[in-house]
């Protein structure tokens, strides 16, 4: 029987309780999935890494409970053992494993202590999960062969990066085989270094993730040495204010069609942080599960009609992306979400999206967000609409403040951004409710708090320096930046490319 898996990213600060995991498992089972993947990274309480157990991490006991409650569903761990270990290398105990100082997300495959740690994490995983498939990660190792130790080890190799990668993952996959299980790895780095495939045990399954096309070409390359391949589409939420339904449907249909002769399909769902709301995506999971079983129930908007959220979904996934700019489909994390929340400076949203959001697109986005709020009674669905409306409102407040500031009218400028404190307070409450409701990001709550405090700090600066008290008027981009320094008129904290080093 082909693998039908739904993989859920818990690593972006998700903090699910046992009941939330039951809810996910029950949705997976009802949709007809055979496997539920839990993408963990550092969000699992491996007994070997007590120093890395962030608050709300999933525990081995929780996993065992879900597995015994849902015996027909295989609960598959997705751990990461080289790239995407940022949750380890940015801790005091874990920084010894990093490939580079204060940069990227990869550990060093030539660090013996890290290789040892990988073995222990894998042992913990084999102990906690009873699944046949054990996914050991391997994606996005962009920092291969950067440190002197790796360069020394790989000297003379025809493909040093591929050699380091194969040495590391070949051994880990072999360990899974020796435990009587089936190793799985992501395919992206093997596509770049195909010769590394030869070192993988024959039973290894390659997970071919292609979110903007099908897998017909890539799966052929990954299967060249006779390994099984699973096609992986995604739900396009990380690159949207909410979710791009049309592109999601297209990707799932294409990968599902291309995977007919493969070992199965794994629907991925990434980045519940930054106001991602997993419970608003359940209709997609249900629709995809049925599609993979051969039951085509129509388009994805119809799936939302059936969930009673059709009108809301059309507003958020049809009308909003059509406005373009920060709402349009893109291949990377949504810029408006990042600038509002991720960089501790929501004025970046004004700097980069001010022109669009202060024009007709902003008027329309604001009106659509309000309609979306009226179109649903469900707390989960209200959240993305509240975020959208708040982002537009904030950017508009900032622009009004900017205009007054440029005229040396700091009191009027302060009057325009003062309400932003309440806006971020409301977002903070919303983030708290998402945390309680579905195990949403704890960091999102803090991000909203930090944004509110930053607005207060900016108000204070405008009061102090908004009448040219420094002898000059810092640009609004500068005075609203967390690193602004009075009298550093030339912004030495910014002007060189090594400003972050
Ligand atoms: Zn290294």
């Amino acid at each position: 029987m082909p693998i039908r898996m739904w993989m859920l990213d818990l690593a972006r600060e998700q903090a699910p309780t046992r009941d939330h995991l039951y809810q996910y498992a029950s949705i997976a089972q009802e949709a007809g999935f055979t496997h539920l993947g839990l993408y963990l990274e550092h969000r699992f309480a491996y007994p070997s890494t007590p120093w890395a157990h962030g608050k709300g991490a999933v525990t081995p006991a929780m996993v065992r409970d879900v597995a015994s409650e849902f015996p027909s569903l295989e609960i598959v761990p997705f751990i990461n053992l080289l790239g995407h270990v940022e949750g380890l290398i940015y801790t005091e105990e874990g920084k010894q494993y990093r490939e580079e100082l204060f940069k990227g997300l990869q550990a060093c495959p030539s660090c013996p202590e890290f290789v040892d740690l990988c073995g222990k994490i894998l042992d913990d995983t084999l102990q906690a999960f009873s699944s046949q498939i054990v996914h050991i990660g391997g994606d996005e190792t962009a920092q291969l062969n950067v440190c002197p130790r790796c360069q020394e080890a790989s000297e003379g190799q025809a493909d040093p990066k591929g050699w380091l990668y194969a040495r590391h993952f070949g051994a880990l996959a072999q360990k899974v085989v020796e435990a009587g299980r089936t190793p799985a790895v992501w395919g992206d780095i093997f596509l770049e270094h195909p010769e590394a495939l030869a070192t993988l045990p024959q039973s290894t399954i390659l997970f071919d993730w292609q979110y903007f096309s099908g897998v017909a070409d890539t799966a052929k390359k990954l299967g060249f040495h006779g390994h099984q391949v699973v096609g992986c589409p995604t739900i396009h939420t990380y690159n949207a204010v909410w979710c791009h339904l049309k592109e999601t449907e297209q990707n799932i249909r294409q990968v599902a069609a291309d995977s007919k002769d493969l070992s199965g399909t794994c629907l991925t769902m990434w980045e519940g942080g930054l106001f991602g709301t997993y419970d608003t995506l359940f209709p997609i999971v249900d629709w995809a599960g049925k599609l993979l079983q051969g039951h085509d129930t129509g388009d994805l908007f119809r799936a939302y009609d059936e969930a009673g959220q059709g009108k809301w979904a059309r507003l958020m996934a049809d009308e909003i992306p059509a406005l373009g700019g920060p709402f349009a489909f893109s291949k990377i994390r949504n810029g408006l979400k990042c600038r509002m929340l991720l960089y501790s400076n929501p004025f970046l949203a004004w700097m980069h999206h001010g022109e669009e959001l202060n024009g007709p697109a902003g008027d329309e986005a604001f009106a659509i967000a309000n309609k979306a709020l009226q179109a649903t009674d469900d707390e989960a669905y209200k959240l993305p609409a509240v975020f959208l409306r708040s982002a537009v409102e904030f950017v508009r407040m900032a622009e009004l403040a900017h205009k007054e500031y440029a005229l040396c009218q700091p009191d009027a400028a302060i009057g325009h951004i003062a309400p932003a404190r309440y806006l971020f307070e409301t977002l903070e409450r919303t983030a708290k409710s998402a945390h309680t409701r579905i195990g949403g990001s704890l960091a999102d709550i803090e991000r909203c708090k930090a944004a509110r405090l930053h607005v207060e700090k900016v108000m204070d600066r405008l009061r102090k320096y908004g009448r040219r008290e420094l002898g000059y008027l810092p640009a609004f981009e500068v005075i609203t930046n967390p690193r602004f320094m009075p009298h550093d008129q030339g912004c030495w904290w910014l002007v060189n490319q090594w400003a972050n080093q």
Side-chain angles (χ1 to χ4, degrees), residues 179-403:
R181 315 281 191 93
T182 304
V185 285
W186 296 112
D188 51 325
I189 304 299
F190 288 101
L191 287 171
E192 285 174 32
H193 304 278
E195 69 289 352
L197 282 166
T199 60
L200 283 179
Q202 206 51 54
S203 62
T204 310
I205 306 175
L206 276 301
F207 276 54
D208 186 10
W209 57 278
Q210 302 296 337
Y211 303 157
F212 306 98
S213 64
V215 297
D217 295 337
T218 45
K220 224 172 273 166
K221 290 177 189 156
L222 290 172
F224 184 73
H225 286 266
H227 295 107
Q228 297 184 72
V229 180
V230 163
C232 311
T234 201
I235 295 176
H236 284 283
T237 184
Y238 63 93
N239 53 357
V241 169
W242 172 57
C243 183
H244 294 294
L245 286 187
K246 289 174 196 164
E247 289 81 359
T248 296
E249 178 175 338
Q250 202 175 8
N251 184 228
I252 295 173
R253 283 186 184 279
Q254 180 71 54
V255 172
D258 291 352
S259 301
K260 286 232 158 67
D261 298 322
L262 303 177
S263 296
T265 313
C266 171
L267 173 66
T268 64
M269 185 158 109
W270 297 103
E271 301 200 359
L274 303 180
F275 277 64
T277 29
Y278 278 165
D279 38 359
T280 61
L281 305 175
F282 291 161
I284 304 175
V285 176
D286 191 60
W287 173 89
K290 289 180 177 129
L291 185 82
L292 294 178
Q293 291 172 85
H295 309 310
D296 192 337
T297 54
D299 72 20
L300 263 181
F301 286 108
R302 243 185 87 186
Y304 279 88
D305 286 335
E306 272 172 40
Q309 304 293 344
K311 190 176 173 196
W312 182 93
R314 281 178 183 83
L315 289 162
M316 294 296 289
D318 198 6
E319 295 195 21
I320 284 292
L323 298 175
F327 309 118
F329 181 71
S330 82
K331 295 194 170 182
I332 55 170
R333 189 172 297 129
N334 179 264
L336 188 59
K337 285 201 291 203
C338 291
R339 287 165 182 144
M340 278 294 283
L341 295 166
L342 194 55
Y343 309 130
S344 308
N345 179 16
F347 289 92
L348 290 174
W350 162 79
M351 187 161 110
H352 291 280
H353 306 297
E355 222 175 283
E356 289 147 341
L357 298 189
N358 279 288
D363 294 336
E364 287 192 45
F366 189 77
I368 295 168
N370 276 326
K371 278 191 219 164
L373 281 168
Q374 286 158 13
T376 187
D377 291 327
D378 189 313
E379 276 303 304
Y381 287 88
K382 282 190 184 290
L383 186 146
V386 168
F387 172 77
L388 168 65
R389 191 176 67 177
S390 303
V392 177
E393 268 187 295
F394 176 75
V395 168
R396 296 188 148 209
M397 285 174 195
E399 177 53 19
L400 290 172
H402 165 233
K403 282 198 175 121

Side-chain angles (χ1 to χ4, degrees), residues 97-100 106-111 143-151 164:
Y97 308 122
R98 65 195 172 199
E99 177 72 9
E100 287 180 87
Q106 194 191 300
C108 173
S110 306
C111 165
Q143 291 164 279
L144 280 169
N145 208 30
V146 170
C147 88
R149 205 157 26 170
C150 284
Q151 288 176 4
L164 285 164

